[in-house]
């Protein structure tokens, strides 16, 4: 197992164990199966285990497994405060204390503000005294490192990043998300401040393995490296020195063994030109399934009325690669929860965007088409309800 350091020089395994996808049986986590898989990873050198308050049963299962095997002090627990449910300082303490009980521990190594999407969420937390709470918990030793996980746009990510002296952060990032959400720009901004970056969705929940087009799978299989689709995705990430740890929701011994094998030899800067060319070709094949030929260059931005054009087109294209439900959910969280609305219905048809588009996309026409698919009537209602709840205050 390879390791990269946190801000204090303490080692973090480059492969982290994502505990959200433990196998369930009868609606409950299969604790014995999860224990076998987790301990296989631990013996291979994994020392970073990620869970969250809202991952049903996950914190309790992790706590039980670590206690059973007496390894709590040998690993790092990362868990998350459901910041979207916080309305007072008392609520912060209530959730945190419950998490400690579930995890059967008296401290958390890495504690994140969960699912941040916009600056106003951080502003709300500050109003209820989160910064003083951080200071108290770090002084008492109950929390060693403070961070946040993120699912918004690059601009707000950098805003939150610069608003506090964070110890680490967590972003969704992979070779098809290079320019979306926090993206490579956010990754490099964090690294420039010396802030470790934890990666989630490195293979888009397995979509860059199981749902790759057959043409892409055949290309990968033809390479002399012998790399699997998962291996290309993981090595692409670990090739970047700015990446500290990559989370994988491992739920089979075979998956644990494969990922640990890869993590035992992956080095920053080890990708060859042929490896880069292979990834580029895979991305080109994926683009063949796209509904709009948007490259995410953002020459169309800013829209005078605030429409996030690239984000909508990206989600629309996702409906062809993955599923409509996944695309709609991602659009809802990355665009729907921005402080200022950015929906296609705000378009007034001025055509300014089309004047700057290098791909000559009929943007005004495609906005209407994409919005109908990505934000149907029931999602519009749902997004409005969630906006009122999460963006209040």
């Amino acid at each position: 197992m390879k390791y990269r350091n946190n801000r204090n020089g303490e080692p973090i395994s480059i492969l982290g164990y994502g505990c959200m996808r433990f196998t369930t049986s009868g609606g409950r986590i299969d604790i014995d199966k999860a224990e076998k898989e987790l301990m296989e990873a631990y013996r291979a050198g994994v020392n970073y285990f990620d869970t969250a308050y809202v991952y049903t049963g996950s914190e309790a299962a992790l706590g039980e497994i670590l206690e059973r095997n007496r390894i709590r002090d040998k690993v790092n627990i990362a868990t998350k405060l459901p910041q979207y449910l916080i309305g007072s300082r008392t609520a912060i303490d209530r959730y945190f204390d419950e998490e400690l009980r579930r995890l059967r521990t008296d401290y958390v190594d890495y504690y994140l503000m969960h699912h941040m999407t916009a600056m106003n969420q951080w502003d709300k937390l500050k109003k209820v005294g989160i910064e003083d709470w951080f200071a108290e918990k770090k002084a008492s030793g109950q929390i060693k490192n403070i961070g946040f996980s993120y699912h918004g746009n690059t601009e707000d990510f950098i805003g939150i990043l610069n608003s506090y002296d964070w110890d680490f952060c967590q972003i969704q990032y992979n070779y098809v998300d290079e320019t979306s959400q926090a993206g490579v720009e956010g990754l490099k901004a964090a690294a420039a401040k010396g802030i470790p970056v934890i990666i989630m969705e490195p293979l888009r929940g397995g979509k860059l393995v199981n749902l790759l087009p057959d043409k892409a799978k055949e290309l990968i299989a033809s390479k002399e490296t012998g790399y699997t689709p998962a291996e290309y995705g993981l090595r692409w990430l670990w090739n970047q020195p700015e990446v500290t740890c990559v989370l994988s929701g491992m739920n089979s011994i075979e998956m644990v063994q494969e990922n640990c094998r890869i993590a035992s030899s992956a080095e920053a800067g080890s990708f060859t030109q042929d490896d880069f060319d292979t990834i580029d070709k895979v991305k080109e094949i994926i683009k063949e399934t796209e509904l709009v030929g948007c490259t995410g260059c953002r020459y169309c931005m800013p829209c005078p009325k605030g429409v996030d054009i690239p984000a909508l087109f990206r989600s629309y294209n996702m409906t062809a690669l993955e599923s409509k439900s996944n695309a709609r959910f991602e659009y809802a969280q990355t665009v729907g929860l921005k402080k200022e609305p950015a929906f296609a219905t705000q378009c007034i048809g001025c055509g300014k965007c089309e004047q700057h588009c290098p791909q000559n996309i009929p943007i005004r026409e495609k906005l209407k088409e994409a919005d109908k698919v990505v934000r149907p009537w029931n999602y519009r209602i749902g997004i409005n309800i969630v906006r009122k709840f999460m963006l209040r205050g």
Side-chain angles (χ1 to χ4, degrees), residues 54-190:
V54 295
Y55 299 168
T56 305
S58 176
E59 288 180 324
L62 178 60
E64 181 176 344
I65 292 169
L66 297 181
E67 183 178 71
R68 275 189 196 179
N69 293 275
R70 300 180 181 179
I71 59 170
R72 168 63 189 100
D73 61 339
K74 298 178 175 63
V75 302
N76 296 299
I77 292 177
T79 195
K80 309 175 186 77
L81 176 75
Q83 55 81 20
Y84 34 81
L85 300 178
I86 297 301
S88 67
R89 168 67 179 266
T90 302
I92 301 173
D93 285 316
R94 183 172 69 250
Y95 284 114
F96 182 68
D97 290 344
E98 184 179 350
E99 290 182 299
L100 292 180
R101 288 193 297 273
R102 290 177 176 181
L103 290 162
R104 307 187 186 192
T105 187
D106 56 4
Y107 69 97
V108 173
D109 303 277
Y110 293 86
Y111 199 58
L112 301 98
M113 303 299 98
H114 194 195
H115 205 291
M116 302 288 280
T117 60
M119 274 297 298
N120 63 297
Q121 293 171 325
W122 173 240
D123 293 336
K124 186 177 74 171
L125 286 173
K126 287 195 293 185
K127 286 180 182 178
V128 298
I130 195 71
E131 291 173 296
D132 289 340
W133 188 84
F134 287 166
E136 290 175 14
K137 293 303 177 185
K138 292 189 77 171
S140 71
Q142 286 185 289
I143 296 176
K144 293 185 177 181
N145 299 276
I146 294 286
F148 67 99
S149 66
Y150 188 77
H151 282 287
N153 62 27
T154 307
E155 181 182 1
D156 278 353
F157 172 79
I158 293 176
I160 294 172
L161 185 75
N162 291 333
S163 66
Y164 181 77
D165 185 22
W166 302 100
D167 296 306
F168 72 114
C169 63
Q170 183 170 310
I171 64 173
Q172 176 170 315
Y173 186 61
N174 52 69
Y175 63 75
V176 297
D177 284 327
E178 193 171 7
T179 58
S180 64
Q181 297 203 26
V184 66
E185 183 179 344
L187 173 72
K188 291 184 178 296

Side-chain angles (χ1 to χ4, degrees), residues 194-362:
I195 297 175
V197 182
I198 311 299
I199 303 300
M200 56 184 157
E201 299 293 349
L203 303 173
R204 290 199 63 87
K207 307 300 189 306
L208 298 183
V209 180
N210 303 318
L211 292 186
L212 279 180
D214 288 341
K215 187 176 175 182
K217 293 178 181 177
E218 291 166 4
L219 170 66
I220 289 172
S222 72
K223 307 308 293 185
E224 294 182 359
T225 60
Y227 293 167
T228 62
E231 188 158 3
Y232 269 109
L234 293 174
R235 287 186 181 276
W236 181 85
L237 287 164
W238 285 320
N239 186 69
Q240 301 170 67
E242 298 90 352
V243 168
T244 304
C245 174
V246 176
L247 299 176
S248 177
M250 298 176 279
N251 53 20
S252 74
I253 290 293
E254 294 75 20
M255 190 184 301
V256 171
Q257 291 173 340
E258 179 184 9
N259 289 354
C260 289
R261 173 187 61 79
I262 300 166
S264 69
S265 62
E267 296 278 6
S270 64
F271 236 42
T272 67
Q273 187 57 53
D274 186 67
D275 293 332
F276 282 116
D277 291 343
T278 299
I279 291 292
D280 287 342
K281 288 175 184 175
V282 169
K283 290 165 71 174
E284 288 173 11
I285 293 169
I286 290 172
K287 280 186 174 293
E288 292 173 4
T289 69
E290 291 181 343
L291 302 170
V292 182
C294 175
T295 64
C297 69
R298 303 188 73 83
Y299 288 156
C300 59
M301 299 294 285
C303 166
K305 293 299 178 179
V307 180
D308 193 333
I309 299 166
L312 175 57
F313 286 162
R314 182 181 177 283
S315 294
Y316 187 36
N317 284 331
M318 272 182 64
T319 65
L321 175 64
E322 300 183 20
S323 69
K324 288 182 180 178
S325 59
N326 284 351
R328 288 167 178 170
F329 178 75
E330 179 153 328
Y331 184 74
Q333 69 177 1
T334 58
V335 177
L337 298 182
K338 292 174 68 172
K339 184 175 183 180
E340 299 298 329
F343 303 123
T345 45
Q346 295 162 215
C347 173
I348 59 172
C350 69
K352 180 181 177 182
C353 52
E354 295 180 5
Q355 297 171 18
H356 300 286
C357 178
Q359 313 304 321
N360 296 312
I361 297 170

